[in-house]
Amino acid sequence: MGLNRLAERLEDVPKGHVATIVTHLEMLAKPALAADSSSLVLERWPDPAIADYLALFRKVGEPWLWISRLLMDADDLKAILHDPAVELSIVRDGQEPVGFIELDFRVSGECEIAFFGLIPGLNGLGHGRWMMNQALDKAWRDGIKRVWLHTCTQDSPRALPFYQRSGFRIFRQQIGQMIDPRLTGDLPETAAPHVPVLR
């Protein structure tokens, strides 16, 4: 499509907002999982303290403008995290929390990989492949017919191709906007330097 025709469909992003394209992906059968290893350790994290969860959520997600859980009412967040159909696993480097996986089984027959991430310093070192194999092994249990997740254009540029290499296929894309959390004080202005701030 030429630029002139594309321009007819463009919309301005309001000042103080961030635009994003959200890509939803799914798999409908368990893939063959390699026996990858990692120096990191994955362990179940049942009923985490909300403050501990949010500290790790921020540590992992701040570079990508992860904000949803930071804005939730504490009781609403606790209801999700302590729901028996939501399973959390924490990733540790020694004793240091460096990532987490959140699997949501609240819809019958499905598992959503609701959150999946490592701190930025560990990205690109092969730990993600090991983590994904762990996540998929836990997600594909009896009665599960679909595993899905989503990513967006604020995420690492490696995320979407990584999910596709892991066996997920795109089934939906959406365009959205949100108030920039760096301008509301919910995240520091240094977060996500790859995303422009529209003042």
Side-chain angles (χ1 to χ4, degrees):
M1 178 181 297
L3 181 58
N4 289 340
R5 291 190 62 195
L6 176 62
E8 293 173 7
R9 299 182 185 187
L10 295 177
E11 295 181 22
D12 289 341
V13 176
K15 292 190 183 304
H17 287 68
V18 175
T20 187
I21 299 172
V22 180
T23 301
H24 302 263
L25 302 99
E26 67 182 356
M27 61 171 59
L28 303 178
K30 183 177 181 178
L33 300 176
D36 290 328
S37 62
S38 170
S39 59
L40 304 179
V41 175
L42 184 78
E43 57 190 48
R44 284 277 285 120
W45 195 19
D47 301 336
I50 299 304
D52 293 341
Y53 173 87
L54 289 176
L56 184 55
F57 183 92
R58 184 182 289 270
K59 192 175 177 182
V60 171
E62 186 173 289
W64 315 115
L65 296 186
W66 287 14
I67 191 65
S68 59
R69 294 291 171 79
L70 301 179
L71 300 179
M72 285 186 73
D73 175 82
D75 289 337
D76 292 341
L77 178 56
K78 184 175 181 178
I80 294 172
L81 299 181
H82 293 192
D83 189 310
V86 175
E87 295 185 8
L88 281 144
S89 297
I90 192 168
V91 181
R92 297 186 188 275
D93 186 0
Q95 294 301 309
E96 182 71 17
V98 294
F100 71 106
I101 300 168
E102 186 174 328
L103 303 179
D104 189 335
F105 295 93
R106 289 179 294 172
V107 174
S108 179
E110 297 188 0
C111 175
E112 178 189 3
I113 302 179
F115 290 97
F116 176 96
L118 283 169
I119 61 171
L122 293 178
N123 289 330
L125 301 178
H127 301 299
R129 170 60 50 213
W130 166 79
M131 269 182 71
M132 179 55 74
N133 285 342
Q134 299 291 315
L136 291 174
D137 192 51
K138 292 175 182 301
W140 283 107
R141 57 185 60 173
D142 288 346
I144 296 298
K145 298 178 175 57
R146 177 178 181 253
V147 175
W148 71 282
L149 51 74
H150 68 270
T151 186
C152 73
T153 47
Q154 267 82 58
D155 206 349
S156 166
R158 296 175 176 166
L160 180 57
F162 170 76
Y163 294 141
Q164 291 176 299
R165 287 195 306 273
S166 298
F168 289 92
R169 68 165 189 87
I170 296 170
F171 71 91
R172 185 182 189 189
Q173 280 193 316
Q174 297 173 296
I175 299 172
Q177 297 177 12
M178 68 176 181
I179 296 173
D180 194 327
R182 297 166 296 184
L183 297 179
T184 60
D186 293 302
L187 289 177
E189 290 200 27
T190 54
H194 63 292
V195 179
V197 177
L198 300 177
R199 298 183 186 280

